[in-house]
Amino acid sequence: MISFLFRMITLFFLFSSTTFGFLYIFFGSPTDEDWGFLLDIEFDELPVIAIILISLAFLSLIISIWMSAVARSRETSATRYVKQLVEPDFSLKKKNLSFSLKKALIQANDLIETQRTSLQRMTNEKAEANDKLIQERIIAERQRLARELHDSVSQQLFAASMLLSAVTEQEDELAASKPTLQQVEKIVQQAQLEMRALLLHLRPIALRNNTLAQGLTDLIQELQQKVYFNIDYQIEEIELSKAEEDHLFRIAQEALSNTLRHAKASEVELLLIARDNIGILRIQDNGEGFNIEQDKSTSYGLRNIAERAVEIGCSYKIVSVPGEGTIVEVKVPLGNKVVEMPKSDSLVDLEKRTD
């Protein structure tokens, strides 16, 4: 608003100076004899000088509004393109941008792509170095799992055993023991899901001799035999680097683990496809969901997904609606690495339900 008023006042001063400059050239010094007609001649009871000043003020207002609209339009367009710079499929489709802005956006995008490539290279080197330490990590992972099983599942099983002991003391009151039995069933089921979620983290070498598609297929087929909900999946073979495959597999593990532990879902969909030189990994459930603003900063699983996506230069999105479900989506640029791209069935887009 301040800039608009300043622009209008500046234009009014400029137009006024120019107008009176022309009057000075044609009529000479401002004397009553030469300039008196500006006050003497009236139109609708307004002297000529007032009409001139009002016209100049109106012209200044119109031009200021036009300049502000143009500036806002350019700022909005530039802001939109700056936000899109991080996307792997960024492109300048519109032609109404200035040459300098186009050049700056292209240079920024080239820099981001260079940094993404460098980050991917560093991640590949890191993945190769991690292979040398895999045995030590397996031992550490087993120790961690043992501690978590002791602190979580064992406590739940202990509670279930105590409730079962109470049931055995109520042999003559079966009707009264029904709620207790139902509570025992829920605790045991939750303990089993917790156990399977923790065991998902004990697969650091699941992709040693398999592709990402094969590893995910084996993982889902194994889970389908053990969980209480349905898992639908569509998986395509995509040529990725070792680091990309390892991180995407870990992201899928983390998302499925969170679903097992917290979602209470009845259906889960996993998608791995390649479209328009973009690899897409998406895990979607119809569980309880959560408040993304409250949980994203505190959840270890969500932070782990975000960090792994950034490490391999991917963009990621986590969308959740309480009572509706959760989507975890990661996009990785492929270039010319696509092996095959058959058409896929569309999944339910949970993001539409956030509108």
Side-chain angles (χ1 to χ4, degrees), residues 132-254:
K132 299 178 182 179
L133 303 175
I134 193 64
Q135 294 301 324
E136 296 180 5
R137 292 193 174 189
I138 289 177
I139 295 174
E141 190 76 10
R142 288 175 177 172
Q143 292 174 345
R144 183 191 65 80
L145 178 64
R147 290 193 298 268
E148 293 193 18
L149 290 177
H150 178 269
D151 294 338
S152 59
V153 180
S154 63
Q155 298 298 324
Q156 292 177 331
L157 293 178
F158 174 77
S161 66
M162 294 296 292
L163 290 172
L164 286 173
S165 297
V167 172
T168 58
E169 296 175 359
Q170 300 175 1
E171 294 180 355
D172 297 332
E173 301 178 1
L174 294 178
S177 65
K178 185 175 181 180
T180 305
L181 290 173
Q182 292 175 340
Q183 187 176 0
V184 170
E185 182 182 7
K186 291 181 180 179
I187 292 177
V188 171
Q189 289 179 353
Q190 183 60 35
Q192 290 174 329
L193 291 176
E194 184 79 12
M195 176 78 76
R196 287 159 188 157
L198 294 173
L199 290 176
L200 278 177
H201 294 280
L202 279 182
R203 302 173 66 91
I205 58 174
L207 298 180
R208 173 164 291 183
N209 298 316
N210 294 323
T211 64
L212 175 61
Q214 294 169 339
L216 288 176
T217 300
D218 293 343
L219 176 64
I220 292 174
Q221 290 176 350
E222 180 181 342
L223 285 176
Q224 283 179 325
Q225 301 174 4
K226 300 178 180 180
V227 297
Y228 305 112
F229 51 78
N230 181 50
I231 303 178
D232 295 326
Y233 62 96
Q234 179 182 346
I235 298 176
E236 301 176 1
E237 283 288 351
I238 303 175
E239 184 178 350
L240 300 168
S241 67
K242 178 177 175 57
E244 289 171 339
E245 288 192 334
D246 179 70
H247 280 55
L248 291 177
F249 184 80
R250 285 300 201 160
I251 288 172
Q253 283 182 312
E254 194 68 57

Side-chain angles (χ1 to χ4, degrees), residues 10 32 40 63 91 113 128 136 144 148 150 166 171-172 201 205 227 229 258 260 300 304:
T10 302
D32 292 339
D40 298 336
I63 295 178
S91 62
E113 290 298 326
E128 293 175 359
E136 296 180 5
R144 183 191 65 80
E148 293 193 18
H150 178 269
E171 294 180 355
D172 297 332
H201 294 280
I205 58 174
V227 297
F229 51 78
N258 288 342
L260 286 172
Y300 172 79
N304 191 29

